[in-house]
């Protein structure tokens, strides 16, 4: 068994030589000033021949480097690298693609589909893109903090344009790589400036939250959130756990449409959550991935964030435009840090920029321009709100139809009404792993193994089929 690989890096002035033929031919050292080494090593019964050829040529004042590196290997350095498990959410889409059955249904990732189960590009996005094309804008780097017009628009959308924190310059806003990248940047900030603090996350939560804080080396623990007995919020448990956490913790909260449960606190419960966070000198850290997409109203879905800000608290908020503007792959979002003084906001922003620079340097421009154009133009802004209502409305219709189908078909008397009280694009069905496996293996319904289904990937026409699959899995699989 003999594998070989060849890498050639050469300056234009030094035409590449076929490094592989040199090495495999086993010849002599090449060129003036050439240097060559041959290494033969026995590792685990394999044999490595590694040869490299470094030619340095001098030409007038210019110094051209030519590095020829060739590997002829039957052993690897990557023996100790195990295969990572598929991502619990995005891996579902990969498995779905590989299934050739016509009945297959992808309810894994939270991505909006039309009634024909096709991806949807919002009309306002197309209009904004046409405007951008007409303007013929360039592709110069953005500043590290992102597009100024986007940062202004995104903070105003979140907090409300008249919010004193904006008027007083107390918000540090940085355009970042959608919700995930914004969370990751804030996690790096917490790790750097509050290395002793831990982040409290809900149990359960969006699967990637734990990865984000783990990779940023931020310790976290869970607070109770979901009560399987009531299929509702374990409010007492939540409050008790936030209260018991060390003073000065960061409390990660889903701004609206909690993922995966679809269960949000009531306005009164939000007040009590704010009370205990304030008492314990914790810092609220909102993940807002669904503003406008949950209720259909941008303002309603920002209620929780604005409540905490109104109380004068310092707050972190990560924002995403993946769902509400359907800009999934544009990776557009922001991290906002509300500070108690403008001077603090400037300092925090400068440090966020410092963290972003070595991570990804500066953010992409296309999505930022779309958001800025849509939010900045009263006509497009109005049209966006209408389209958002339509998307949220379609999900609500599907939710109702699924409930109707389940209630009509299931003769066991089970109460399926929890589906109607959940909000957002997901339903947390209560199906366990084995039951979720049955949904996929027998019914070709792809979903995450925690029992979550994305209603945004469901059509009215498929509700009866899905109800059959759920009833079978729920009653016939333990
Ligand atoms: N926060 C929450 C609560 C989310 O549900 C998601 C996306 C994000 C942040 C990040 O989204 P973004 O980086 O694209 O802005 N959750 C999806 C997709 C929709 C995913 O897992 O990446 C989900 O299916 O849960």
């Amino acid at each position: 068994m003999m594998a070989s690989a060849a890498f050639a890096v050469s300056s234009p002035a030094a035409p590449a030589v076929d490094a592989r033929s040199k090495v495999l031919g086993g010849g002599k050292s090449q060129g003036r000033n050439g240097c060559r080494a041959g290494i033969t090593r026995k590792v685990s019964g394999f044999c490595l021949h590694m040869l490299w050829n470094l030619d340095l040529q001098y030409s007038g004042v210019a110094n051209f480097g030519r590095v020829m590196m060739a590997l002829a290997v039957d052993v690897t350095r990557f023996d100790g690298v195990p295969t990572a498990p598929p991502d619990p959410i995005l891996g579902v889409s990969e498995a779905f693609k590989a299934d050739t059955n016509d009945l297959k249904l992808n309810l894994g990732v939270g991505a909006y589909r039309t009634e024909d189960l096709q991806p949807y590009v919002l009309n306002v996005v197309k209009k904004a893109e046409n405007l951008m094309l007409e303007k013929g804008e360039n592709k110069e780097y953005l500043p590290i903090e992102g597009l100024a017009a986007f940062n202004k628009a995104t903070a105003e959308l979140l907090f409300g344009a008249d919010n004193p924190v904006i008027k007083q310059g107390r918000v540090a806003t940085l355009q970042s790589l959608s919700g995930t990248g914004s969370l990751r940047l804030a996690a790096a900030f917490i790790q750097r400036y509050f290395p002793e603090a831990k982040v409290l996350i809900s149990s359960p939560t969006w699967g990637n939250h734990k990865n984000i804080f783990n990779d940023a080396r931020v310790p976290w623990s869970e607070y109770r959130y979901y009560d399987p007995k009531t299929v509702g919020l374990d409010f007492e448990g939540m409050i008790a756990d936030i209260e018991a956490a060390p003073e000065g913790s960061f409390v990660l909260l889903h701004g609206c449409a909690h993922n995966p449960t679809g269960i949000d606190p009531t306005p009164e419960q939000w007040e009590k959550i704010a009370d205990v966070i304030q008492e314990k000198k914790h810092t609220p850290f909102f993940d807002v991935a669904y503003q406008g997409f949950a209720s259909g109203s941008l303002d309603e879905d920002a209620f929780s964030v604005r409540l905490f800000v109104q109380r004068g608290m310092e707050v972190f908020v990560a924002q995403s435009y993946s769902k509400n503007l359907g800009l999934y792959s544009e990776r557009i979002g922001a991290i906002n840090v509300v500070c108690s003084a403008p001077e603090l906001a400037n300092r925090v922003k400068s440090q966020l920029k410092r963290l972003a620079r070595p991570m990804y340097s500066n953010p992409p421009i296309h999505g930022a321009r779309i958001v800025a154009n849509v939010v900045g133009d009263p006509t497009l802004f109005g049209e966006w709100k209408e389209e958002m209502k339509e998307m949220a409305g379609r999900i609500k219709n599907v939710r109702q139809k699924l409930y109707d189908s389940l209630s009509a078909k299931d003769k066991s008397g089970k109460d399926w009404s929890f589906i109607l009280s959940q909000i957002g694009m997901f339903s947390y069905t209560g199906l366990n792993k084995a039951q979720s496996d049955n949904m996929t293996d027998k019914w070709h319904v792809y979903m995450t193994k925690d029992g979550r289904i994305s209603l945004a990937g469901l059509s009215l026409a498929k509700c009866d089929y899905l109800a059959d699959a759920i009833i079978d899995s729920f009653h016939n699989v333990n």
Side-chain angles (χ1 to χ4, degrees):
M1 190 182 68
M2 173 69 89
S4 68
F7 306 91
V9 182
S10 76
S11 73
V17 179
D18 182 351
R20 190 173 157 183
S21 68
K22 274 185 181 182
V23 171
L24 297 180
K28 309 182 293 291
S29 152
Q30 309 280 325
R32 271 181 305 133
N33 308 322
C35 159
R36 177 174 193 150
I39 300 169
T40 302
R41 225 192 266 163
K42 285 267 181 204
V43 185
S44 313
F46 291 100
C47 182
L48 165 69
H49 301 278
M50 189 180 188
L51 300 133
W52 68 88
N53 183 319
L54 172 66
D55 279 4
L56 297 174
Q57 295 186 342
Y58 299 92
S59 157
V61 289
N63 182 356
F64 296 103
R66 184 179 66 175
V67 178
M68 309 300 298
M69 184 172 175
L71 291 175
V73 288
D74 56 2
V75 71
T76 176
R77 294 186 69 182
F78 305 124
D79 261 347
V81 180
T83 304
D87 182 80
I89 298 176
L90 299 185
V92 174
S93 300
E94 289 168 30
F96 172 80
K97 273 189 200 139
D99 187 334
T100 52
N101 193 295
D102 286 343
L103 291 170
K104 69 177 180 174
L105 200 52
N106 188 2
L107 309 183
V109 68
Y112 184 81
R113 297 283 177 268
T114 61
E115 191 53 32
D116 302 325
L117 299 184
Q118 294 306 307
Y120 179 57
V121 180
L122 275 74
N123 290 323
V124 281
V125 168
K126 289 184 198 156
K127 287 185 185 173
E129 284 180 324
N130 282 335
L131 279 176
M132 285 153 60
L133 261 184
E134 277 167 25
K135 281 193 206 159
E137 287 158 323
N138 65 42
K139 302 283 185 192
E140 290 286 291
Y141 286 132
L142 278 177
I144 303 170
E145 67 206 74
L147 187 70
F150 166 81
N151 285 344
K152 180 174 184 302
T154 201
E156 289 182 356
L157 204 70
L158 182 64
F159 302 111
D162 294 332
N163 199 309
V165 290
I166 292 187
K167 299 212 153 133
Q168 294 158 8
R170 291 203 277 122
V171 190
T173 301
L174 222 86
Q175 179 193 336
S176 192
L177 307 182
S178 210
T180 308
S182 304
L183 287 161
R184 183 65 178 79
L185 195 58
F189 181 84
I190 291 171
Q191 197 277 333
R192 181 164 291 179
Y193 290 99
F194 308 93
E196 305 302 323
K198 79 176 174 175
V199 172
L200 308 181
I201 58 184
S202 63
S203 173
T205 192
W206 175 49
N208 215 18
H209 279 150
K210 293 178 184 174
N211 300 333
I212 289 169
F213 293 110
N214 281 341
D215 278 10
R217 306 200 191 295
V218 174
W220 52 266
S221 65
E222 295 181 309
Y223 59 84
R224 279 168 282 173
Y225 192 83
Y226 175 69
D227 182 354
K229 281 190 242 91
T230 59
V231 200
L233 180 65
D234 179 358
F235 184 62
E236 305 299 314
M238 179 182 187
I239 293 291
D241 290 347
I242 294 175
E243 206 156 30
E247 199 166 271
S249 297
F250 289 82
V251 185
L252 189 68
L253 300 158
H254 298 225
C256 64
H258 182 272
N259 179 4
T261 65
I263 300 161
D264 284 350
T266 62
E268 297 71 36
Q269 288 171 331
W270 275 122
E271 293 275 5
K272 296 218 171 83
I273 295 165
D275 285 344
V276 65
I277 287 180
Q278 243 171 338
E279 275 159 29
K280 289 297 308 251
K281 298 189 171 58
H282 296 326
T283 301
F285 181 173
F286 281 95
D287 180 356
V288 176
Y290 301 97
Q291 191 185 353
F293 204 75
S295 68
S297 154
L298 286 163
D299 290 328
E300 221 173 286
D301 290 350
F303 167 83
S304 57
V305 170
R306 292 179 190 175
L307 171 79
F308 281 65
V309 170
Q310 202 185 351
R311 283 176 166 231
M313 299 166 84
E314 295 190 313
V315 183
F316 281 65
V317 193
Q319 279 176 291
S320 163
Y321 289 90
S322 293
K323 270 68 70 175
N324 56 11
L325 252 180
L327 294 177
Y328 307 91
S329 53
E330 296 296 352
R331 313 309 298 145
I332 177 66
I335 180 71
N336 302 267
V337 187
V338 178
C339 305
S340 47
E343 190 257 335
L344 292 168
N346 289 340
R347 281 199 252 157
V348 167
K349 187 167 177 174
S350 72
Q351 291 298 344
L352 288 168
K353 285 164 66 175
R354 189 177 174 204
L355 285 161
R357 170 68 169 147
M359 271 200 226
Y360 57 86
S361 193
N362 47 72
I365 201 163
H366 191 77
R369 278 185 180 144
I370 295 173
V371 176
N373 282 336
V374 170
V375 179
D377 177 310
T379 313
L380 290 185
F381 191 38
E383 283 180 39
W384 178 34
K385 288 183 189 164
E386 288 310 311
E387 281 192 277
M388 208 146 38
K389 266 190 214 143
E390 265 171 47
M391 290 192 288
R394 197 189 84 72
I395 295 172
K396 282 183 195 157
N397 290 343
V398 167
R399 200 180 268 290
Q400 180 68 49
K401 176 79 170 55
L402 178 62
Y403 166 76
D404 292 344
S405 299
L406 282 166
S407 304
K409 284 169 176 280
D410 186 6
K411 306 296 177 206
S412 74
K414 179 176 164 57
D415 180 8
W416 294 97
S417 62
F418 65 88
I419 291 181
L420 295 180
S421 49
Q422 295 170 346
I423 182 171
M425 74 198 311
F426 300 111
S427 181
Y428 205 50
T429 60
L431 294 175
N432 63 29
K433 179 169 178 319
Q435 293 164 336
S436 304
D437 281 342
N438 185 66
M439 295 284 286
T440 306
D441 299 344
K442 180 170 168 188
W443 294 88
H444 305 273
V445 174
Y446 288 78
M447 57 188 285
T448 52
K449 300 301 174 203
D450 57 358
R452 184 191 87 168
I453 54 176
S454 167
L455 298 178
L458 180 64
S459 61
L460 291 173
K462 292 273 187 182
C463 283
D464 278 344
Y465 177 78
L466 180 62
D468 288 337
I470 292 176
I471 291 166
D472 172 54
S473 305
F474 187 79
H475 291 299
N476 301 329
V477 180
N478 281 322

